[in-house]
Amino acid sequence: MRERPAASAASPDEIDGAFVPVRRPDVTTVVLEGETVALAEGAADAYYLDQMATLVWGTFDGTATLDELADDFAEAFGADLDVVRDDVVKLTKGIARAGLLMGFAYTRPSKPSVALQTGVGVGEPIPPFTLPDGEGTEVGISDLRGRDVLLVNWSPRCEFCAKLAPGLAELQPALRARGIELVFVALGDAGENRPMLEEHGLRPRLLLAGEDETDVFAGVGTPAAYLMDREGRAASELTVGADTIPGLAQGAVNAT
């Protein structure tokens, strides 16, 4: 097959479905448990790719448009095409800003939304946030103090969240018995989140971020989680991925 020239884009913000991404040849990557840390030559920060972003990155062969890639993903996952297309374009814009694609220079972010995130350290305060719950009541980090919390970065559009859901549902009674509240910081609205939660019998406290990431999970993909203690401090390191969060939850249940 003859390679198709990459569609031009003056800036990452102009990337759309017709864009053909080409990976820079001088990018160094390390893959750990399906997630990627990538660093372009000359960039000051590494870029973290969660499991979904790693899948998308792996399809950038210089021949397919983002629309074509989205079609393939939507068919493979049985997902809504428009949602998949939006996610693929958004991910590609972030990858372009990180300087990982041909034709784009690294752009240092004004806040750490695309740089590698390692999270706050154990014992450090969880970054504050205030979000509406499913009934529209504003809930801040101070409202969660006084109890232990498993705080999960969630998206109803994330296939890895769907993979995580059964395991969390199974652990939910044990978490409750240990006095650990399950709290989701979720993209989308209540109606969008409800089907997946009901399918798996999940009953978290749902805090709705809409389409905006919170400072506590800035630059981190879904799913990701912290254990938070009663003082609002991180009681665990940031844990990322559907395969590792159940272990974090089980460890909290088993703790003496």
Side-chain angles (χ1 to χ4, degrees):
M1 179 187 296
R2 187 168 64 184
E3 289 193 2
R4 190 183 324 179
S8 61
S11 76
D13 290 335
E14 296 181 13
I15 289 174
D16 59 17
F19 181 70
V20 179
V22 181
R23 292 181 289 185
R24 278 178 52 174
D26 58 350
V27 173
T28 300
T29 59
V30 176
V31 181
L32 300 171
E33 298 182 350
E35 299 168 342
T36 300
V37 176
L39 179 66
E41 185 175 336
D45 296 305
Y47 186 75
Y48 164 76
L49 300 169
D50 65 14
Q51 291 171 319
M52 182 56 72
T54 295
L55 287 176
V56 173
W57 167 257
T59 64
F60 290 170
D61 60 4
T63 66
T65 67
L66 294 184
D67 279 343
E68 290 168 339
L69 296 179
D71 286 342
D72 291 342
F73 278 116
E75 181 177 358
F77 289 112
D80 182 88
L81 177 58
D82 290 336
V83 171
V84 172
R85 183 182 293 116
D86 289 346
D87 287 346
V88 168
V89 170
K90 182 179 178 180
L91 283 169
T92 304
K93 289 179 179 180
I95 291 170
R97 292 188 188 97
L100 304 181
L101 298 180
M102 294 292 291
F104 298 93
Y106 168 76
T107 303
R108 176 176 282 280
S110 57
K111 65 177 183 177
S113 58
V114 297
L116 173 66
Q117 291 290 296
T118 57
V120 301
V122 174
E124 295 180 359
I126 295 290
F129 60 84
T130 301
L131 295 170
D133 65 14
E135 285 70 47
T137 301
E138 293 290 320
V139 177
I141 196 79
S142 61
D143 298 304
L144 301 178
R145 292 192 179 120
R147 75 208 77 175
D148 295 317
V149 172
L150 179 60
L151 190 66
V152 182
N153 195 32
W154 188 264
S155 171
R157 311 160 195 164
C158 169
E159 295 299 324
F160 295 102
C161 291
K163 178 182 176 182
L164 171 63
L168 278 185
E170 183 177 348
L171 285 167
Q172 196 169 232
L175 288 168
R176 189 179 300 115
R178 290 283 298 174
I180 301 169
E181 184 173 11
L182 183 61
V183 177
F184 283 5
V185 175
L187 295 176
D189 58 24
E192 188 177 3
N193 278 275
R194 192 172 296 115
M196 187 187 296
L197 301 183
E198 292 180 348
E199 176 184 354
H200 297 285
L202 273 168
R203 295 178 178 84
R205 188 170 191 176
L206 191 65
L207 304 182
L208 300 169
E211 301 306 315
D212 299 320
E213 63 182 13
T214 60
D215 287 342
V216 63
F217 290 115
V220 178
T222 55
Y226 285 105
L227 284 174
M228 189 178 80
D229 69 17
R230 299 181 180 193
E231 303 300 321
R233 300 171 301 199
S236 74
E237 295 181 347
L238 175 67
T239 301
V240 179
D243 296 330
T244 55
I245 292 173
L248 176 67
Q250 187 66 64
V253 168
N254 295 340
T256 57

